Amino acid sequence: MRFLVDMPVTPQAVTPLEAKGHDAVHASAIGLGASPDSDILERATAEGRIVITADLDYPRLLAQLKVDRPGVILFRGGSYSDAEMLALLDRVLAQAETLYRDCSITVVDQHRIRRRGLPGTD
């Protein structure tokens, strides 16, 4: 899978993703560190990437745009340390084949992982 790691998520997330054979980039490494969310979504869509973020604006933006991609992994439920976020990301990746049959928003918190279809998939 291909991932674009958004600014609220540690750049350290790229390394374990690559170690598992994924193609991953951090927004800061490709000149999108100060870009609006819409630019992140546009780039992820163009490159076939799933956005990994803790920015709660993404579900609203995707609903407004009524799009069916890109997929988003959204960390909710507080301020995570880098280590906590990486551990949660491991949980998500363990379910990756189940979660990414289609484009979706995968919401991750300390206790569960849930998947919702994107607005444009209805």
Side-chain angles (χ1 to χ4, degrees), residues 44-108:
T45 299
E47 296 182 2
R49 295 183 183 276
I50 297 165
V51 176
I52 301 175
T53 190
D55 185 337
L56 300 178
D57 288 338
Y58 278 90
R60 178 191 52 78
L61 184 56
L62 290 166
Q64 286 175 342
L65 296 171
K66 296 182 179 160
V67 295
D68 64 354
R69 65 185 60 99
V72 173
I73 297 172
L74 174 64
F75 289 95
R76 291 191 52 167
S79 178
Y80 298 105
S81 69
D82 290 352
E84 289 170 325
M85 192 167 279
L86 293 173
L88 288 170
L89 186 55
D90 275 345
R91 284 182 42 212
V92 172
L93 292 176
Q95 300 179 34
E97 287 186 28
T98 303
L99 294 172
Y100 297 111
R101 288 188 197 147
D102 56 11
C103 291
S104 62
I105 299 173
T106 301
V107 181
V108 182

Side-chain angles (χ1 to χ4, degrees), residues 4-25:
L4 195 163
V5 181
D6 193 20
M7 291 306 293
V9 178
T10 177
Q12 294 175 17
V14 171
T15 302
L17 288 166
E18 290 176 334
K20 294 182 186 300
H22 301 292
D23 177 346
V25 296

